[in-house]
Amino acid sequence: MRKLLAYLIVVASLSGCQTTDHALTASSTPVAVTGPAASAIAGDMASRLAEQIGPAGAKTTIRMDSDTSEFATALDAALKGWGYTVVTDRKITKDVKPIELSYSIGGFDGQVLARLSTPSVALGRAYTPTAAGATPASPLSIMQRN
């Protein structure tokens, strides 16, 4: 009887850990953001990043992985437009400590989800692609790291 009671308690407690919500298992799919949409998203995300990490200075260098996608090219151009030095290789002088930037872009339910991340801050936002570019479909998500 004691074993049965212990078994029921364990089963009851573990059943609370299970979920049947399939929305959590859906993953975003990689999406090729091109043309005006890539430029619009990259420009908005670069301006929001500049608000968080501060203005570009003489020694403000951002390092991101080399990528040939239109979004990566647009993001590189947008960051340079804000005055940052952007490097995509490991050739950096010893006196410069670059800000490591990673990014991701994916699609979900007809929207584009963009994310920029540095060691100190992560930004995310959903966009709706249009013929003229892209419009924000969600508020900006900001996560500060210590």
Side-chain angles (χ1 to χ4, degrees), residues 37-105:
S39 294
I41 294 170
D44 183 52
M45 292 300 283
S47 69
R48 302 305 178 173
L49 181 65
E51 291 173 355
Q52 297 300 314
I53 65 173
K59 292 192 174 199
T60 308
T61 301
I62 295 177
R63 195 196 84 68
M64 53 189 253
D65 289 334
S66 179
D67 189 354
T68 58
S69 69
E70 283 194 53
F71 179 74
T73 304
L75 182 59
D76 182 284
L79 290 168
K80 287 178 179 175
W82 278 92
Y84 296 103
T85 302
V86 179
V87 294
T88 56
D89 54 19
R90 298 281 181 184
K91 297 178 184 177
I92 300 171
T93 60
K94 291 188 180 197
D95 62 332
V96 175
K97 173 117 171 74
I99 298 170
E100 296 289 329
L101 177 69
S102 61
Y103 62 91
S104 65
I105 193 156

Short mmCIF file of all heavy atoms in Angstrom, two decimals, residues 37-105:
data_model
loop_
_atom_site.label_atom_id
_atom_site.label_comp_id
_atom_site.label_asym_id
_atom_site.label_seq_id
_atom_site.Cartn_x
_atom_site.Cartn_y
_atom_site.Cartn_z
N ALA A 37 13.40 45.03 -47.57
CA ALA A 37 13.08 44.51 -46.24
C ALA A 37 14.34 44.32 -45.41
O ALA A 37 14.39 44.67 -44.23
CB ALA A 37 12.31 43.20 -46.35
N ALA A 38 15.40 43.78 -46.02
CA ALA A 38 16.67 43.59 -45.31
C ALA A 38 17.24 44.93 -44.86
O ALA A 38 17.69 45.08 -43.73
CB ALA A 38 17.67 42.86 -46.21
N SER A 39 17.19 45.93 -45.73
CA SER A 39 17.70 47.25 -45.38
C SER A 39 16.90 47.90 -44.27
O SER A 39 17.45 48.52 -43.36
CB SER A 39 17.71 48.15 -46.62
OG SER A 39 18.61 47.67 -47.57
N ALA A 40 15.57 47.78 -44.35
CA ALA A 40 14.72 48.40 -43.34
C ALA A 40 14.93 47.76 -41.97
O ALA A 40 15.05 48.46 -40.95
CB ALA A 40 13.25 48.30 -43.75
N ILE A 41 14.99 46.45 -41.93
CA ILE A 41 15.18 45.75 -40.65
C ILE A 41 16.57 46.04 -40.10
O ILE A 41 16.72 46.35 -38.92
CB ILE A 41 14.95 44.24 -40.83
CG1 ILE A 41 13.48 43.97 -41.19
CG2 ILE A 41 15.34 43.48 -39.58
CD1 ILE A 41 13.19 42.55 -41.63
N ALA A 42 17.59 45.95 -40.94
CA ALA A 42 18.96 46.21 -40.49
C ALA A 42 19.11 47.65 -39.99
O ALA A 42 19.74 47.90 -38.97
CB ALA A 42 19.94 45.94 -41.61
N GLY A 43 18.51 48.61 -40.71
CA GLY A 43 18.60 50.01 -40.28
C GLY A 43 17.93 50.24 -38.94
O GLY A 43 18.48 50.94 -38.07
N ASP A 44 16.75 49.67 -38.74
CA ASP A 44 16.05 49.83 -37.46
C ASP A 44 16.82 49.17 -36.33
O ASP A 44 17.01 49.76 -35.26
CB ASP A 44 14.63 49.26 -37.56
CG ASP A 44 13.85 49.47 -36.27
OD1 ASP A 44 13.80 50.63 -35.79
OD2 ASP A 44 13.30 48.48 -35.75
N MET A 45 17.28 47.94 -36.54
CA MET A 45 18.00 47.23 -35.48
C MET A 45 19.33 47.90 -35.16
O MET A 45 19.73 47.97 -34.00
CB MET A 45 18.20 45.76 -35.87
CG MET A 45 16.91 44.95 -35.92
SD MET A 45 16.01 44.89 -34.35
CE MET A 45 16.98 43.69 -33.47
N ALA A 46 20.02 48.43 -36.18
CA ALA A 46 21.29 49.13 -35.93
C ALA A 46 21.06 50.39 -35.11
O ALA A 46 21.84 50.70 -34.20
CB ALA A 46 21.97 49.45 -37.25
N SER A 47 19.99 51.12 -35.41
CA SER A 47 19.72 52.34 -34.64
C SER A 47 19.36 52.00 -33.20
O SER A 47 19.77 52.70 -32.27
CB SER A 47 18.61 53.16 -35.29
OG SER A 47 17.36 52.50 -35.18
N ARG A 48 18.63 50.92 -33.00
CA ARG A 48 18.27 50.50 -31.63
C ARG A 48 19.49 50.01 -30.88
O ARG A 48 19.63 50.24 -29.68
CB ARG A 48 17.19 49.42 -31.66
CG ARG A 48 15.92 49.83 -32.37
CD ARG A 48 15.35 51.09 -31.80
NE ARG A 48 14.15 51.46 -32.55
CZ ARG A 48 13.37 52.44 -32.20
NH1 ARG A 48 13.65 53.18 -31.15
NH2 ARG A 48 12.31 52.73 -32.92
N LEU A 49 20.40 49.33 -31.58
CA LEU A 49 21.63 48.89 -30.94
C LEU A 49 22.48 50.08 -30.53
O LEU A 49 23.05 50.12 -29.44
CB LEU A 49 22.42 47.96 -31.86
CG LEU A 49 23.72 47.41 -31.30
CD1 LEU A 49 23.45 46.48 -30.12
CD2 LEU A 49 24.51 46.68 -32.38
N ALA A 50 22.56 51.09 -31.40
CA ALA A 50 23.33 52.30 -31.10
C ALA A 50 22.79 53.00 -29.86
O ALA A 50 23.55 53.55 -29.06
CB ALA A 50 23.32 53.24 -32.30
N GLU A 51 21.47 52.97 -29.68
CA GLU A 51 20.87 53.56 -28.47
C GLU A 51 21.32 52.83 -27.22
O GLU A 51 21.46 53.44 -26.16
CB GLU A 51 19.35 53.51 -28.55
CG GLU A 51 18.73 54.40 -29.58
CD GLU A 51 17.23 54.17 -29.73
OE1 GLU A 51 16.68 53.24 -29.09
OE2 GLU A 51 16.60 54.91 -30.51
N GLN A 52 21.56 51.54 -27.33
CA GLN A 52 21.90 50.73 -26.16
C GLN A 52 23.39 50.69 -25.84
O GLN A 52 23.76 50.69 -24.67
CB GLN A 52 21.38 49.29 -26.35
CG GLN A 52 19.89 49.19 -26.46
CD GLN A 52 19.17 49.72 -25.23
OE1 GLN A 52 19.54 49.41 -24.11
NE2 GLN A 52 18.16 50.55 -25.45
N ILE A 53 24.25 50.66 -26.87
CA ILE A 53 25.68 50.54 -26.60
C ILE A 53 26.41 51.87 -26.64
O ILE A 53 27.59 51.94 -26.33
CB ILE A 53 26.36 49.53 -27.55
CG1 ILE A 53 26.32 50.00 -29.00
CG2 ILE A 53 25.75 48.15 -27.40
CD1 ILE A 53 27.11 49.11 -29.96
N GLY A 54 25.71 52.92 -27.01
CA GLY A 54 26.31 54.24 -27.01
C GLY A 54 26.80 54.65 -28.39
O GLY A 54 26.87 53.84 -29.31
N PRO A 55 27.15 55.91 -28.51
CA PRO A 55 27.56 56.43 -29.82
C PRO A 55 28.90 55.83 -30.24
O PRO A 55 29.70 55.41 -29.42
CB PRO A 55 27.68 57.94 -29.58
CG PRO A 55 27.91 58.08 -28.12
CD PRO A 55 27.19 56.93 -27.47
N ALA A 56 29.09 55.82 -31.54
CA ALA A 56 30.35 55.32 -32.09
C ALA A 56 31.47 56.28 -31.74
O ALA A 56 31.32 57.49 -31.85
CB ALA A 56 30.23 55.17 -33.60
N GLY A 57 32.57 55.75 -31.29
CA GLY A 57 33.73 56.55 -30.97
C GLY A 57 34.91 56.12 -31.81
O GLY A 57 34.80 55.25 -32.68
N ALA A 58 36.04 56.72 -31.54
CA ALA A 58 37.23 56.42 -32.31
C ALA A 58 37.65 54.96 -32.16
O ALA A 58 38.22 54.37 -33.07
CB ALA A 58 38.37 57.33 -31.88
N LYS A 59 37.35 54.36 -31.01
CA LYS A 59 37.77 52.98 -30.77
C LYS A 59 36.59 52.02 -30.69
O LYS A 59 36.73 50.92 -30.17
CB LYS A 59 38.60 52.90 -29.50
CG LYS A 59 39.93 53.59 -29.63
CD LYS A 59 40.82 53.23 -28.49
CE LYS A 59 42.19 53.82 -28.72
NZ LYS A 59 43.22 53.21 -27.93
N THR A 60 35.44 52.41 -31.18
CA THR A 60 34.28 51.53 -31.14
C THR A 60 34.29 50.64 -32.38
O THR A 60 34.00 51.10 -33.48
CB THR A 60 32.97 52.32 -31.06
OG1 THR A 60 33.06 53.24 -29.98
CG2 THR A 60 31.80 51.40 -30.83
N THR A 61 34.65 49.39 -32.17
CA THR A 61 34.72 48.42 -33.25
C THR A 61 33.75 47.29 -32.95
O THR A 61 33.71 46.79 -31.83
CB THR A 61 36.14 47.85 -33.40
OG1 THR A 61 37.04 48.94 -33.65
CG2 THR A 61 36.23 46.86 -34.54
N ILE A 62 32.98 46.91 -33.95
CA ILE A 62 32.04 45.80 -33.81
C ILE A 62 32.54 44.66 -34.68
O ILE A 62 32.86 44.86 -35.85
CB ILE A 62 30.62 46.23 -34.22
CG1 ILE A 62 30.10 47.28 -33.26
CG2 ILE A 62 29.69 45.02 -34.27
CD1 ILE A 62 28.74 47.83 -33.61
N ARG A 63 32.62 43.48 -34.09
CA ARG A 63 33.04 42.30 -34.85
C ARG A 63 31.85 41.37 -35.01
O ARG A 63 31.17 41.02 -34.07
CB ARG A 63 34.15 41.54 -34.15
CG ARG A 63 34.81 40.54 -35.12
CD ARG A 63 35.64 39.49 -34.44
NE ARG A 63 34.85 38.37 -33.99
CZ ARG A 63 34.23 37.48 -34.77
NH1 ARG A 63 34.26 37.61 -36.07
NH2 ARG A 63 33.58 36.47 -34.26
N MET A 64 31.56 41.01 -36.26
CA MET A 64 30.51 40.05 -36.54
C MET A 64 31.02 39.03 -37.52
O MET A 64 32.00 39.28 -38.24
CB MET A 64 29.24 40.74 -37.04
CG MET A 64 29.40 41.67 -38.21
SD MET A 64 27.91 42.62 -38.54
CE MET A 64 27.32 41.83 -40.00
N ASP A 65 30.40 37.88 -37.55
CA ASP A 65 30.83 36.81 -38.45
C ASP A 65 30.63 37.22 -39.90
O ASP A 65 29.70 37.93 -40.24
CB ASP A 65 30.05 35.53 -38.16
CG ASP A 65 30.46 34.89 -36.84
OD1 ASP A 65 31.61 35.12 -36.40
OD2 ASP A 65 29.64 34.17 -36.26
N SER A 66 31.52 36.71 -40.72
CA SER A 66 31.44 36.98 -42.15
C SER A 66 30.26 36.20 -42.73
O SER A 66 30.11 35.01 -42.49
CB SER A 66 32.74 36.55 -42.82
OG SER A 66 32.66 36.77 -44.19
N ASP A 67 29.42 36.89 -43.47
CA ASP A 67 28.23 36.30 -44.07
C ASP A 67 27.94 37.05 -45.36
O ASP A 67 28.15 38.25 -45.44
CB ASP A 67 27.06 36.41 -43.10
CG ASP A 67 25.84 35.64 -43.52
OD1 ASP A 67 25.84 35.07 -44.64
OD2 ASP A 67 24.87 35.60 -42.75
N THR A 68 27.45 36.34 -46.36
CA THR A 68 27.18 36.98 -47.64
C THR A 68 25.69 37.22 -47.88
O THR A 68 25.31 37.62 -48.97
CB THR A 68 27.73 36.12 -48.80
OG1 THR A 68 27.12 34.82 -48.74
CG2 THR A 68 29.24 35.99 -48.71
N SER A 69 24.88 37.01 -46.86
CA SER A 69 23.44 37.24 -47.03
C SER A 69 23.15 38.73 -47.18
O SER A 69 23.95 39.57 -46.75
CB SER A 69 22.65 36.67 -45.85
OG SER A 69 22.91 37.43 -44.68
N GLU A 70 22.02 39.05 -47.77
CA GLU A 70 21.66 40.47 -47.94
C GLU A 70 21.44 41.14 -46.60
O GLU A 70 21.75 42.32 -46.43
CB GLU A 70 20.42 40.60 -48.83
CG GLU A 70 20.72 40.42 -50.29
CD GLU A 70 19.58 40.87 -51.17
OE1 GLU A 70 19.11 42.02 -51.02
OE2 GLU A 70 19.15 40.07 -52.01
N PHE A 71 20.90 40.41 -45.63
CA PHE A 71 20.69 41.00 -44.31
C PHE A 71 22.03 41.34 -43.65
O PHE A 71 22.19 42.41 -43.07
CB PHE A 71 19.87 40.10 -43.40
CG PHE A 71 19.67 40.70 -42.04
CD1 PHE A 71 18.78 41.75 -41.86
CD2 PHE A 71 20.37 40.24 -40.94
CE1 PHE A 71 18.60 42.33 -40.61
CE2 PHE A 71 20.20 40.80 -39.69
CZ PHE A 71 19.31 41.85 -39.53
N ALA A 72 23.01 40.44 -43.74
CA ALA A 72 24.33 40.70 -43.15
C ALA A 72 24.99 41.90 -43.81
O ALA A 72 25.57 42.76 -43.14
CB ALA A 72 25.22 39.47 -43.28
N THR A 73 24.88 41.99 -45.12
CA THR A 73 25.44 43.13 -45.84
C THR A 73 24.74 44.43 -45.45
O THR A 73 25.39 45.46 -45.23
CB THR A 73 25.32 42.91 -47.36
OG1 THR A 73 25.96 41.66 -47.69
CG2 THR A 73 25.95 44.02 -48.14
N ALA A 74 23.41 44.38 -45.32
CA ALA A 74 22.65 45.57 -44.93
C ALA A 74 22.97 45.97 -43.49
O ALA A 74 23.07 47.16 -43.17
CB ALA A 74 21.16 45.31 -45.09
N LEU A 75 23.13 44.99 -42.60
CA LEU A 75 23.47 45.28 -41.20
C LEU A 75 24.85 45.90 -41.12
O LEU A 75 25.06 46.88 -40.38
CB LEU A 75 23.38 44.01 -40.36
CG LEU A 75 23.65 44.17 -38.87
CD1 LEU A 75 22.66 45.14 -38.24
CD2 LEU A 75 23.57 42.81 -38.18
N ASP A 76 25.80 45.37 -41.86
CA ASP A 76 27.15 45.94 -41.91
C ASP A 76 27.09 47.40 -42.35
O ASP A 76 27.70 48.28 -41.73
CB ASP A 76 28.01 45.10 -42.86
CG ASP A 76 29.43 45.58 -42.95
OD1 ASP A 76 29.68 46.61 -43.62
OD2 ASP A 76 30.31 44.93 -42.37
N ALA A 77 26.36 47.67 -43.42
CA ALA A 77 26.24 49.04 -43.94
C ALA A 77 25.53 49.96 -42.94
O ALA A 77 25.92 51.12 -42.77
CB ALA A 77 25.50 49.04 -45.27
N ALA A 78 24.50 49.45 -42.28
CA ALA A 78 23.76 50.28 -41.32
C ALA A 78 24.63 50.64 -40.12
O ALA A 78 24.60 51.78 -39.65
CB ALA A 78 22.50 49.54 -40.87
N LEU A 79 25.41 49.68 -39.63
CA LEU A 79 26.30 49.97 -38.50
C LEU A 79 27.39 50.97 -38.89
O LEU A 79 27.72 51.87 -38.13
CB LEU A 79 26.92 48.67 -37.98
CG LEU A 79 25.96 47.72 -37.27
CD1 LEU A 79 26.60 46.36 -37.07
CD2 LEU A 79 25.49 48.31 -35.95
N LYS A 80 27.92 50.81 -40.10
CA LYS A 80 28.91 51.78 -40.58
C LYS A 80 28.29 53.16 -40.75
O LYS A 80 28.93 54.18 -40.51
CB LYS A 80 29.53 51.30 -41.89
CG LYS A 80 30.48 50.14 -41.70
CD LYS A 80 31.04 49.63 -43.01
CE LYS A 80 32.00 48.48 -42.77
NZ LYS A 80 32.47 47.89 -44.04
N GLY A 81 27.01 53.19 -41.15
CA GLY A 81 26.30 54.45 -41.26
C GLY A 81 26.16 55.17 -39.93
O GLY A 81 26.07 56.39 -39.88
N TRP A 82 26.14 54.41 -38.85
CA TRP A 82 26.07 54.99 -37.51
C TRP A 82 27.46 55.34 -36.98
O TRP A 82 27.60 55.79 -35.85
CB TRP A 82 25.36 54.04 -36.55
CG TRP A 82 23.88 54.17 -36.68
CD1 TRP A 82 23.04 53.45 -37.48
CD2 TRP A 82 23.06 55.11 -36.00
NE1 TRP A 82 21.76 53.90 -37.34
CE2 TRP A 82 21.73 54.91 -36.44
CE3 TRP A 82 23.30 56.12 -35.06
CZ2 TRP A 82 20.66 55.67 -35.97
CZ3 TRP A 82 22.23 56.86 -34.61
CH2 TRP A 82 20.93 56.64 -35.06
N GLY A 83 28.50 55.10 -37.79
CA GLY A 83 29.85 55.50 -37.40
C GLY A 83 30.70 54.41 -36.78
O GLY A 83 31.84 54.66 -36.39
N TYR A 84 30.19 53.21 -36.67
CA TYR A 84 30.96 52.12 -36.08
C TYR A 84 31.92 51.53 -37.10
O TYR A 84 31.64 51.51 -38.30
CB TYR A 84 30.03 51.01 -35.57
CG TYR A 84 29.13 51.45 -34.45
CD1 TYR A 84 27.79 51.73 -34.69
CD2 TYR A 84 29.62 51.61 -33.16
CE1 TYR A 84 26.96 52.15 -33.67
CE2 TYR A 84 28.80 52.03 -32.13
CZ TYR A 84 27.47 52.30 -32.40
OH TYR A 84 26.66 52.72 -31.39
N THR A 85 33.04 51.05 -36.61
CA THR A 85 33.96 50.28 -37.44
C THR A 85 33.52 48.83 -37.33
O THR A 85 33.40 48.30 -36.23
CB THR A 85 35.41 50.43 -36.93
OG1 THR A 85 35.76 51.82 -36.95
CG2 THR A 85 36.37 49.64 -37.79
N VAL A 86 33.28 48.20 -38.47
CA VAL A 86 32.80 46.82 -38.49
C VAL A 86 33.86 45.94 -39.12
O VAL A 86 34.34 46.24 -40.22
CB VAL A 86 31.48 46.69 -39.27
CG1 VAL A 86 31.00 45.25 -39.30
CG2 VAL A 86 30.41 47.59 -38.66
N VAL A 87 34.25 44.88 -38.40
CA VAL A 87 35.19 43.91 -38.94
C VAL A 87 34.52 42.55 -38.97
O VAL A 87 33.72 42.21 -38.10
CB VAL A 87 36.50 43.85 -38.12
CG1 VAL A 87 37.27 45.14 -38.24
CG2 VAL A 87 36.24 43.52 -36.68
N THR A 88 34.84 41.79 -40.00
CA THR A 88 34.25 40.47 -40.14
C THR A 88 35.32 39.38 -40.13
O THR A 88 35.02 38.23 -40.42
CB THR A 88 33.43 40.36 -41.44
OG1 THR A 88 34.27 40.69 -42.54
CG2 THR A 88 32.24 41.27 -41.40
N ASP A 89 36.53 39.74 -39.80
CA ASP A 89 37.58 38.75 -39.69
C ASP A 89 38.28 38.93 -38.35
O ASP A 89 37.92 39.78 -37.56
CB ASP A 89 38.58 38.87 -40.85
CG ASP A 89 39.15 40.27 -40.99
OD1 ASP A 89 39.08 41.05 -40.01
OD2 ASP A 89 39.67 40.60 -42.06
N ARG A 90 39.25 38.14 -38.09
CA ARG A 90 39.94 38.18 -36.79
C ARG A 90 41.13 39.12 -36.79
O ARG A 90 41.85 39.19 -35.81
CB ARG A 90 40.41 36.77 -36.42
CG ARG A 90 39.30 35.77 -36.26
CD ARG A 90 38.66 35.95 -34.94
NE ARG A 90 37.59 34.96 -34.75
CZ ARG A 90 36.81 34.95 -33.73
NH1 ARG A 90 36.97 35.82 -32.77
NH2 ARG A 90 35.87 34.05 -33.62
N LYS A 91 41.36 39.88 -37.85
CA LYS A 91 42.51 40.76 -37.94
C LYS A 91 42.22 42.09 -37.28
O LYS A 91 41.78 43.04 -37.91
CB LYS A 91 42.90 40.95 -39.40
CG LYS A 91 43.33 39.67 -40.07
CD LYS A 91 43.65 39.89 -41.52
CE LYS A 91 43.99 38.57 -42.17
NZ LYS A 91 44.23 38.70 -43.59
N ILE A 92 42.46 42.14 -35.98
CA ILE A 92 42.22 43.35 -35.20
C ILE A 92 43.50 43.65 -34.44
O ILE A 92 44.15 42.75 -33.91
CB ILE A 92 41.05 43.14 -34.21
CG1 ILE A 92 39.78 42.80 -34.99
CG2 ILE A 92 40.83 44.36 -33.36
CD1 ILE A 92 38.63 42.37 -34.11
N THR A 93 43.86 44.92 -34.37
CA THR A 93 45.06 45.29 -33.63
C THR A 93 44.86 44.98 -32.15
O THR A 93 43.75 44.93 -31.64
CB THR A 93 45.39 46.79 -33.83
OG1 THR A 93 44.30 47.56 -33.36
CG2 THR A 93 45.66 47.09 -35.29
N LYS A 94 45.95 44.81 -31.47
CA LYS A 94 45.90 44.39 -30.07
C LYS A 94 45.28 45.43 -29.14
O LYS A 94 44.74 45.08 -28.11
CB LYS A 94 47.30 44.02 -29.58
CG LYS A 94 47.82 42.77 -30.22
CD LYS A 94 49.10 42.32 -29.59
CE LYS A 94 49.56 41.06 -30.29
NZ LYS A 94 50.54 40.34 -29.55
N ASP A 95 45.36 46.70 -29.47
CA ASP A 95 44.84 47.72 -28.58
C ASP A 95 43.33 47.93 -28.74
O ASP A 95 42.73 48.69 -27.98
CB ASP A 95 45.58 49.05 -28.78
CG ASP A 95 45.42 49.59 -30.19
OD1 ASP A 95 45.22 48.79 -31.11
OD2 ASP A 95 45.51 50.82 -30.36
N VAL A 96 42.71 47.24 -29.69
CA VAL A 96 41.27 47.39 -29.93
C VAL A 96 40.54 46.17 -29.39
O VAL A 96 40.88 45.04 -29.71
CB VAL A 96 40.97 47.55 -31.44
CG1 VAL A 96 39.48 47.58 -31.69
CG2 VAL A 96 41.63 48.81 -31.97
N LYS A 97 39.56 46.41 -28.53
CA LYS A 97 38.71 45.34 -28.02
C LYS A 97 37.35 45.48 -28.67
O LYS A 97 36.56 46.34 -28.31
CB LYS A 97 38.59 45.43 -26.49
CG LYS A 97 37.60 44.46 -25.91
CD LYS A 97 38.27 43.49 -24.99
CE LYS A 97 37.28 42.65 -24.24
NZ LYS A 97 36.64 41.63 -24.97
N PRO A 98 37.05 44.64 -29.67
CA PRO A 98 35.78 44.79 -30.39
C PRO A 98 34.58 44.31 -29.57
O PRO A 98 34.72 43.47 -28.68
CB PRO A 98 35.97 43.93 -31.63
CG PRO A 98 36.90 42.86 -31.19
CD PRO A 98 37.84 43.52 -30.20
N ILE A 99 33.43 44.84 -29.90
CA ILE A 99 32.18 44.36 -29.34
C ILE A 99 31.72 43.21 -30.23
O ILE A 99 31.51 43.39 -31.43
CB ILE A 99 31.12 45.49 -29.33
CG1 ILE A 99 31.57 46.64 -28.46
CG2 ILE A 99 29.77 44.95 -28.87
CD1 ILE A 99 30.70 47.89 -28.58
N GLU A 100 31.60 42.04 -29.65
CA GLU A 100 31.17 40.86 -30.41
C GLU A 100 29.67 40.96 -30.66
O GLU A 100 28.89 41.10 -29.72
CB GLU A 100 31.47 39.58 -29.65
CG GLU A 100 32.95 39.32 -29.43
CD GLU A 100 33.69 38.94 -30.69
OE1 GLU A 100 33.07 38.31 -31.58
OE2 GLU A 100 34.88 39.26 -30.80
N LEU A 101 29.27 40.90 -31.92
CA LEU A 101 27.86 41.00 -32.30
C LEU A 101 27.44 39.73 -33.02
O LEU A 101 28.08 39.31 -33.98
CB LEU A 101 27.64 42.21 -33.22
CG LEU A 101 26.22 42.39 -33.76
CD1 LEU A 101 25.26 42.78 -32.65
CD2 LEU A 101 26.19 43.42 -34.86
N SER A 102 26.37 39.14 -32.53
CA SER A 102 25.78 38.01 -33.25
C SER A 102 24.36 38.41 -33.62
O SER A 102 23.75 39.26 -32.96
CB SER A 102 25.80 36.74 -32.42
OG SER A 102 25.05 36.91 -31.24
N TYR A 103 23.84 37.82 -34.66
CA TYR A 103 22.50 38.16 -35.12
C TYR A 103 21.82 36.91 -35.63
O TYR A 103 22.48 35.93 -36.00
CB TYR A 103 22.54 39.25 -36.20
CG TYR A 103 23.28 38.82 -37.44
CD1 TYR A 103 22.61 38.21 -38.49
CD2 TYR A 103 24.64 39.02 -37.55
CE1 TYR A 103 23.28 37.81 -39.61
CE2 TYR A 103 25.32 38.61 -38.66
CZ TYR A 103 24.64 38.00 -39.70
OH TYR A 103 25.31 37.59 -40.81
N SER A 104 20.52 36.96 -35.62
CA SER A 104 19.75 35.88 -36.23
C SER A 104 18.50 36.49 -36.83
O SER A 104 18.02 37.53 -36.39
CB SER A 104 19.40 34.80 -35.22
OG SER A 104 18.53 35.31 -34.23
N ILE A 105 18.00 35.84 -37.85
CA ILE A 105 16.79 36.29 -38.51
C ILE A 105 16.04 35.05 -38.96
O ILE A 105 16.63 34.11 -39.47
CB ILE A 105 17.12 37.26 -39.67
CG1 ILE A 105 15.88 37.96 -40.13
CG2 ILE A 105 17.86 36.59 -40.77
CD1 ILE A 105 16.15 39.28 -40.81
#
